[in-house]
Amino acid sequence: MTRNLVPMLVVALVVVALYYPLMLLANVPVAQQALDNGAALECKTTVACASSLRSPVLPAPMQLWTGFRSLVLPLTAPTSILPNAWATAGNTLLGLLLATLVGIFFAIGIVASRAFERSLLPWVVASQTVPIIALAPMLVVVLGQYGVQGALPKAIIAAFVAFFPITIGVAKGLRSPDPLALELMKTYNASDQQTYLKLRFPASVPYLFTAFKVAITAALIGAIVAEISTVGFQQGLGRMLFENSRASDVVSIWVIMLSSALLGILLVALVGWVERWVTPWQRAR
Amino acid sequence: MATRTLNPAASQSPLLGAVLTLLGFAVLVYFIASWWNHSNPASSGQKLLIGVGFLLGALGVARVANYLSRVKTNPLVGFIPAGLTLLLVVSTIEALLRAYQVPAGLIPTPTRVLATLWEVREVLLKDAAQTVLLEALVGYLIGCSLGVLMALLVSRFVFLERGLLPYATAFSSIPIVALAPVLVKMIGLDWPSKAVIVAVTVFFPVVVNTFRGLTEVSPLSLELMRSYAASEAQGYRWLRLPNALPFIFNALKLGTTLAMIGAIVGEFFGADGKGLGFRIQIEAGRFGFDIVWSAIIIASIVGIAWYNLVTWLERQFTGWHVSFRE
Amino acid sequence: MVFQAGTVALKEASLEIGSGEFISLIGPSGCGKTTLLRLLADLIQPTSGAIRVGGKTPQEARKSRAYGYVFQAPTLMEWRTVLQNVMLPLEVMGFSPTERRSRAEKMLTLVGLEKFAKNYPWQLSGGMQQRVSIARALAFDPQLLFMDEPFGALDEITRENLNLELLRLWRETRKTIIFVTHSIPEAVFLSTRIVVMTPRPGKIETVIPVDLPQPRGFETRETARFFEIATQVREALRKGHGFEVQE
């Protein structure tokens, strides 16, 4: 990691250095057009206008900074990013938990029963290739009609999106033990239950975490889409995104996008951190 | 050999299974037909009947599946249990929705969805053409080619590997929904904005996977190339690229799903009046769930077909790989 | 004995093994020596024929946990520490926590790995891992020990050291050991009797008693008698056309 630091910083600097001219290049035509139309702008030159447009193609660094400050401060205000990101993270993790429970149940079914595998596995696999997220707007409405409210409908949708990678991952993990290890359990005359507890479940933990890393991003997308589709006054990044998108507040959308990106990275990092803590036997890579 | 718990009762003939399955379906179809024009909820006895039909069908399908899993058959026959399961679940849902008289505005019955699908097929096909051919496919092709090129560069220059790759890994965990509104605002409501969203989403996994394929080459093979005094380009041509192919195809397969999701979610944030995502968003807002389901069915069929097309290509190009043996 | 699907894997395998013996099954690949061991351990079932393990059928023997089995590979659970790996059979068999720990620690001392109790398997060399798996097989104190080419994947030097150690364990614990190998020196050095098997169909060619004096040490391998018996085994193998390339 440390040997990557210098090259990563250099790349970051190059991106930052390139950003400003790129921003001007993208915004100048818009600004020019606005000036030509005689719009009442506070700026004089095209360049000055390009970095202070209300709907810039690319926001200027200063705009991002002001936008960031106004969205983050005060920290705990219901309209600021922190509590909303917290709510979204909560929905995502609750969804992941639900998805794990259901996923493990299905995975055991697939591993333990050939009939179950034959009749359901093709659909679980096919569903991986289907844009499940398209169901979200409808699910929110249907769940709302049946009185499922609060964080639960969002968690259910997040779980719905995240459940498939977890099922496949756990099923793979339950099947991962070496045939010799299974025979070893047989020489101990271990019961099926003991074989699952002592062999198959521990063996599937690393697979579960690999699946988590895919699933948590999916769950986050599910949670945000669910928040967008929910009507009401609940909090969440999706809600903010939707409101600012409707108000065409471009700078705010950028700030929310960057925050969601950060949240995604943090959640994946969280999974990695928990993984290292739960599976100490994994060789450090 | 001893990898799973065998069912000791697995030696029965499949005949009983087939009979049970038929019986289950007969019960369900009988109920659906008898309740076709009713608008009042069914009695609890009739609801019990649906449960019995489902149970009979499930037991039957389980037996058929058990039997088919013990005899070697071609994949088409092997698919029978899965097909039966889908049919069983769909007919049970149909029967239950009719028995409880769930309003069609809330959950439409499967037959109603199919009827709607047929009615609005022209609109939906236009939507699909917009979403799939223009947005998803164009974005996918651009994103994948750029991804492979970037991986080639990154694998060639250690500096780029250390400076860029960590970002690529981090960026692949960004939720596209957050990216979508920004790009739509930046590029416009027309299809190119969605194509860019798709390109961005498929780009990162392709880079990460291709890079792994190009670099996870056995040291012995590298030494072999060295002993031939092969140039760097030859090393890529004869060793690294073939080695990367399975990895690239994995990313391409993952990309098909990401592309469909990217295009559909992108349309949630603005479209020019066409597209599957746009249709889903609009119709979900006004309780036109039969159309929503129709759009989802089309999206699913496209998604599965696209994925299988890439799998077929993979088989043509990497037939030698371990995963295709046996 | 006729194996499933009609393939004759083992034919005319008639053998009686007394308590406290060290028996080696030797032969080329495909002669059915592993099959015979797996039959004894009830990991597979014969289509015909009768086997008795201490007066019981193999299945009864397995259910009463009468034997320990050491596989070709160490098959340690990578998520368990060395000590926890040795405790695994004791957990499955319902020993009390204190008993588990004391027995496992004793076994680790017996194989000389008490210092590595808290390490994970990947931190150990192949030979050390195989010693852990032997400790694990002995942990619940079965009278019988089945070993299926346990040192086959190790280098010659490690293998000779472990052979010596295994003999010491055998003397100290008075177990009956049935040992599958394809190394002639290993079989001669370890065994009280050598069962020579030949392929196509798998059958017992001959049984050669080994009268080398106990306790044996490194010098045993250099005695004239050692070479005589090794030659005897080699000739028996050749007589059954065992030198042909199999599989």
Side-chain angles (χ1 to χ4, degrees), chain A residues 177-178 180-181 183-191 194 198-200 202-204 206 280-284, chain C residues 38 42-43 45 62-63 65 67 69 71 73 75 77-80 88-89 91-93 120 122 136 140:
Chain A
D178 187 2
L180 284 187
E183 289 194 340
L184 181 73
M185 296 308 282
K186 199 180 170 193
T187 69
Y188 298 154
N189 193 26
S191 65
Q194 283 174 320
K198 307 252 180 241
L199 182 60
R200 288 188 192 268
S204 65
W281 67 86
Q282 295 281 84
R283 211 183 286 245
Chain C
R38 290 164 60 86
D42 188 41
L43 291 175
Q45 285 77 40
R62 179 171 68 83
K63 296 224 155 134
R65 283 128 177 183
Y67 65 84
Y69 202 108
F71 293 93
T75 40
M77 314 270 161
E78 55 173 12
W79 53 88
R80 286 171 168 258
L88 173 74
E91 282 173 35
V92 173
M93 296 171 192
Y120 283 105
W122 63 268
R136 182 181 59 188
F140 56 100

Side-chain angles (χ1 to χ4, degrees), chain B residues 74-295:
Chain B
N74 67 45
L76 223 59
V77 178
F79 188 69
I80 288 177
L84 284 176
T85 308
L86 183 70
L87 256 178
L88 182 70
V89 169
V90 169
S91 8
T92 309
I93 288 174
E94 173 95 26
L96 282 176
L97 289 177
R98 283 184 185 278
Y100 284 88
Q101 286 295 321
V102 177
L106 200 53
I107 310 176
T109 60
T111 46
R112 196 190 156 96
V113 170
L114 287 179
T116 309
L117 178 62
W118 184 247
E119 260 170 49
V120 298
R121 60 187 185 278
E122 279 184 18
V123 179
L124 285 182
L125 282 181
K126 271 186 202 141
D127 285 339
Q130 166 95 0
T131 305
V132 179
L133 295 181
L134 288 179
E135 298 169 0
L137 193 61
V138 171
Y140 178 79
L141 293 177
I142 294 174
C144 291
S145 356
L146 287 182
V148 171
L149 279 179
M150 178 60 98
L152 284 173
L153 276 178
V154 168
S155 73
R156 173 62 186 76
F157 300 103
V158 182
F159 180 81
L160 288 182
E161 178 195 336
R162 294 192 185 162
L164 272 180
L165 209 62
Y167 288 115
T169 320
F171 276 126
S172 43
S173 59
I174 290 180
I176 22 162
V177 269
L179 206 66
V182 166
L183 287 170
V184 171
K185 281 277 181 304
M186 194 151 74
I187 301 168
L189 295 179
D190 217 349
W191 66 267
S193 60
K194 266 72 75 180
V196 171
I197 295 172
V198 170
V200 172
T201 32
V202 298
F203 176 75
F204 293 108
V206 171
V207 173
V208 173
N209 272 291
T210 310
F211 174 79
R212 277 187 53 199
L214 290 172
T215 47
E216 283 181 16
V217 183
S218 99
L220 287 181
S221 308
L222 281 176
E223 283 174 4
L224 184 72
M225 295 312 281
R226 219 181 125 78
S227 76
Y228 296 159
S231 70
E232 192 140 13
Q234 284 173 320
Y236 270 86
R237 168 71 187 79
W238 299 111
L239 178 59
R240 288 187 191 270
L241 270 175
N243 191 67
L245 265 186
F247 292 81
I248 295 177
F249 270 106
N250 261 340
L252 292 186
K253 284 193 282 186
L254 181 71
T256 61
T257 322
L258 290 177
M260 287 299 287
I261 294 175
I264 288 175
V265 170
E267 288 174 11
F268 288 174
F269 290 94
D272 54 349
K274 276 191 302 241
L276 292 173
F278 168 79
R279 193 69 55 205
I280 289 168
Q281 176 87 337
I282 289 283
E283 293 295 335
R286 58 176 177 226
F287 289 74
F289 288 151
D290 42 358
I291 298 182
V292 174
W293 275 111
S294 308

Side-chain angles (χ1 to χ4, degrees), chain A residues 1 3-12 56-58 110-120 122-123 125-138 141-142 145-146 175 177 179 182-183 186 192 196 200 214 217 220-222 224-225 228-229 241-242 244-250 253-254 256-258 260-262 264-265 268, chain B residues 1-6 61-63 65-66 68-71 73 77-79 81-86 89 102-103 106-108 158-164 166-167 170-182 185-187 253-254 256-257 260-261 264-265 268-269 280-281 284-285 287 289 292-293 296 299-305 307:
Chain A
M1 197 60 202
R3 63 184 194 136
N4 289 350
L5 204 62
V6 174
M8 279 178 80
L9 279 176
V10 172
V11 169
V57 180
L58 284 175
I110 287 170
V111 173
S113 151
R114 264 174 206 248
F116 201 86
E117 178 189 359
R118 277 282 168 135
S119 4
L120 283 180
W123 299 118
V125 172
S127 67
Q128 295 257 56
T129 70
V130 164
I132 304 269
I133 197 76
L135 283 169
M138 186 178 51
V141 180
V142 173
Q145 285 294 312
Y146 283 101
R175 281 202 182 134
L182 286 162
E183 289 194 340
K186 199 180 170 193
D192 278 354
Y196 269 88
R200 288 188 192 268
V214 181
T217 322
L220 181 59
I221 295 176
I224 291 179
V225 171
I228 289 169
S229 316
L241 210 53
F242 183 67
N244 287 298
S245 178
R246 216 159 37 174
S248 281
D249 189 345
V250 176
I253 299 177
W254 270 82
I256 300 166
M257 173 196 76
L258 293 174
S260 319
L262 194 64
I265 293 168
V268 173
Chain B
M1 187 178 288
T3 48
R4 70 175 76 221
T5 29
L6 278 173
V61 174
R63 264 170 199 266
N66 247 335
L68 285 180
S69 65
R70 274 177 291 113
V71 286
T73 48
V77 178
F79 188 69
L84 284 176
T85 308
L86 183 70
V89 169
V102 177
L106 200 53
I107 310 176
V158 182
F159 180 81
L160 288 182
E161 178 195 336
R162 294 192 185 162
L164 272 180
Y167 288 115
F171 276 126
S172 43
S173 59
I174 290 180
I176 22 162
V177 269
L179 206 66
V182 166
K185 281 277 181 304
M186 194 151 74
I187 301 168
K253 284 193 282 186
L254 181 71
T256 61
T257 322
M260 287 299 287
I261 294 175
I264 288 175
V265 170
F268 288 174
F269 290 94
I280 289 168
Q281 176 87 337
F287 289 74
F289 288 151
V292 174
W293 275 111
I296 288 170
S300 307
I301 293 175
V302 171
I304 293 174
Y307 183 88

